[in-house]
Amino acid sequence: MPTYDAIVVGSGISGGWAAKELCEQGLRTLVLEAGGPTDPGTDYTMHIQPWELHFKGWGDRQKKDREQPVQGRCYACDEWSGKWFVNDLENPYTTAEGTRFDWIRGRQVGGRSLTWGRQVYRWSDLDFEANGRDGFGTDWPIRYADIAPWYDRVERFIGISGNAEGLAQLPDGQFLPGMPLNAAEQFVRDGMARRFGRERVLTIGRCAILTENHRGRAACGYCGVCERGCSTLSYFNSVHVTLPAAQATGKLTLRPWSVAHSVMYEPRTGKASGVRVIDARTNEVLEFRARVVFLCASALESTRIMLNSTSARWPDGLGNTSGALGKYIMDHWMGWGAHGDVPGFENVTTSGSRPNGTYVPRFRNLTGRQPEFLRGYGYQGGGGRGGWGRGSGMPGFGRALKEALRTPAPWTYSMSAWGEQLPRDTNFVALDPVVKDKWGIPALRITCQWGDNERAAMRDASVQAAETLEAAGVRNVRQHTADNAPGLTIHEMGGMRMGRDRATSVLNGSNQSWDVPNLFCTDGACMASNANQNPSITYMALTARAVSLAVGMMRRHEL
Ligand SMILES: Cc1cc2nc3c(=O)[nH]c(=O)nc-3n(C[C@H](O)[C@H](O)[C@H](O)COP(=O)(O)OP(=O)(O)OC[C@H]3O[C@@H](n4cnc5c(N)ncnc54)[C@H](O)[C@@H]3O)c2cc1C
Ligand code: SF4
């Protein structure tokens, strides 16, 4: 049986970081990836125009309805990038009656790091202390000081552009220059500053896109279609950033088409002995051994692997002494906000497609206490002028219409909230008793619903967005709402939460299984709450930290 120092399951955002850090520490590391390889030379399609595609950018809608009815709900699953989203028939899941969960997944080397939106915001102690303060969920075993140096390490390596604002609820990081605000956004920022001071601040989005050449990768050229793959390597993904760093050490073995079935448990030692795999192309069952195993298959997939890793010792899933395995899953709610018209600036417009928007950090429940809800939300948004794209909505035809379209429309600005969901044991995943995936592995049954706290925060987000924009001088302000099911924000978290106590959590403060000491999970499954910031930078920082802690334990012969 092939034996390695370390096995990493998954090659996406977390798995790429685990591989890089483990290899750089000198460990012979096997990365098991369920999907096929990704070749930047042929698979990146940022420069392919709609007229070069078979369906001219509209995609094969019949095929999509048949094979990707869930994935197709994601804006990025189109004729260019649909190949980077799973086939829903091969990868089924079920939901509890009366509930819906839109589970958006990528299965290939790189995972969803290929298609992600690249927004990166640090968490603060407001977030790490939240569970302990209001009692929803278990207290996080770490605080900002524990993770801050790892945020630094990740940001310096991958390149983050953004502006420092000195806000306690959104710590600044190691930034490359932020992308510039456009005229409408600067107008709203200035207007907000006049009315709200530092209480409500609009800043350029912090994003994993280079504004300067960085470590052999070129600055972004503002083509604006990153989810197709970037041939100048200007945004972060694991295919062209972390996995090559791991490869450069000579310690990496990357095995695509390797569907992890379960973690093998050795009762004699009480440790994981390796990972059982089904070859995705031949269905052959294979076993790989290692001294340490890192699960990085994404929150719900890692949880599924653990639920599926049953034995006489662990009939309800590996390392499940607490009974918390599968529970406390969360997603962010999104889409509630407001928009309106920005007066003036007719003589200026934008050029290129800046692949980034604006951010208004959380301002609710910072010091005082909102009576209607706990926790908070932040707004993502942006300003702009309509161009050719508004053609279908404009009256007229022929030459007059074409000329009208050459004149940019007036400026508008829009902002929509991303908000926190409280961790609850009534939101959970379990193995479906009947449904299996293409490889015969039990599928997940997901139960997840918004609660009253989320609904109250959603309503507040629209009202506050409208008040903020009106105060900033935006005209004709209209509130907007959304009706998204959990899952569609694609920030699913929980299932193997970290905690201070083995009786109530699956992982300790080092992302290490309380019950199986050489088993770590560093993707979104570990999250004990979900704050309101986009989470992936926190997975990266937790991964780098956990590898360092694990390697320390290995060197001290504790694992
Ligand atoms: C369109 C879109 C926009 C997004 N925007 C943002 C954003 O702006 N900011 C942000 O923070 N996050 C964003 N996200 C979410 C972000 O992509 C995820 O949080 C992140 O990719 C999770 O990292 P991960 O390593 O846990 O999982 P992934 O990146 O999904 O990687 C998991 C890998 O594990 C593999 N795998 C799964 N099961 C198995 C198995 N059984 N055996 C072997 N391998 C397996 C998968 O094939 C995959 O390659 C977005 C996602 C999408 C799709
Ligand atoms: S917008 Fe920038 S990062 Fe995105 S694909 Fe284009 S060049 Fe690459």
Side-chain angles (χ1 to χ4, degrees), residues 191-233:
M192 283 171 60
R194 273 196 303 278
R195 170 67 177 76
F196 299 104
R198 300 300 288 166
E199 186 214 332
R200 299 188 189 187
V201 174
L202 183 151
T203 189
I204 188 67
R206 295 174 179 174
C207 67
I209 299 182
L210 306 179
T211 48
E212 289 175 347
N213 296 347
H214 183 74
R215 304 180 70 95
R217 297 160 49 214
C220 169
Y222 281 30
C223 73
V225 286
C226 313
E227 62 276 2
R228 299 178 191 170
C230 177
S231 49
T232 52
L233 319 184

Side-chain angles (χ1 to χ4, degrees), residues 75-76 81 84-85 106 108 110-118 226-228 235 237:
Y75 68 91
S81 306
W84 285 336
F85 291 81
Q108 58 280 321
R112 290 174 295 182
S113 75
L114 293 160
T115 51
W116 72 314
R118 310 157 304 278
C226 313
E227 62 276 2
R228 299 178 191 170
Y235 78 90
N237 68 32

Side-chain angles (χ1 to χ4, degrees), residues 188 191-192 195-196 199-200 202 333 335-341 358 360-361 363-364 373 377-382 413-418 456-481:
V188 177
M192 283 171 60
R195 170 67 177 76
F196 299 104
E199 186 214 332
R200 299 188 189 187
L202 183 151
W333 52 266
W336 293 64
H339 58 283
D341 303 330
T358 58
V360 176
F363 52 82
R364 289 308 223 190
F373 60 92
Y377 51 79
Y379 292 105
Q380 300 187 28
Y413 181 83
S414 178
M415 59 200 263
S416 300
W418 263 242
M458 291 173 195
R459 287 192 294 274
D460 186 69
S462 285
V463 172
Q464 291 307 313
E467 284 185 19
T468 304
L469 292 184
E470 271 162 11
V474 176
R475 295 185 188 155
N476 194 18
V477 172
R478 288 140 287 168
Q479 293 182 26
H480 53 251
T481 61

Side-chain angles (χ1 to χ4, degrees), residues 346 349 384-397 400-412:
E346 285 88 5
T349 186
R385 301 185 78 171
W388 280 98
R390 70 201 146 117
S392 58
M394 287 214 3
F397 57 90
L401 176 65
K402 282 193 214 161
E403 276 174 11
L405 285 170
R406 280 202 191 99
T407 313
W411 287 94
T412 56

Side-chain angles (χ1 to χ4, degrees), residues 49-54 56-57:
Q49 299 303 322
W51 56 87
E52 298 176 76
L53 291 172
H54 187 72
K56 313 300 174 218

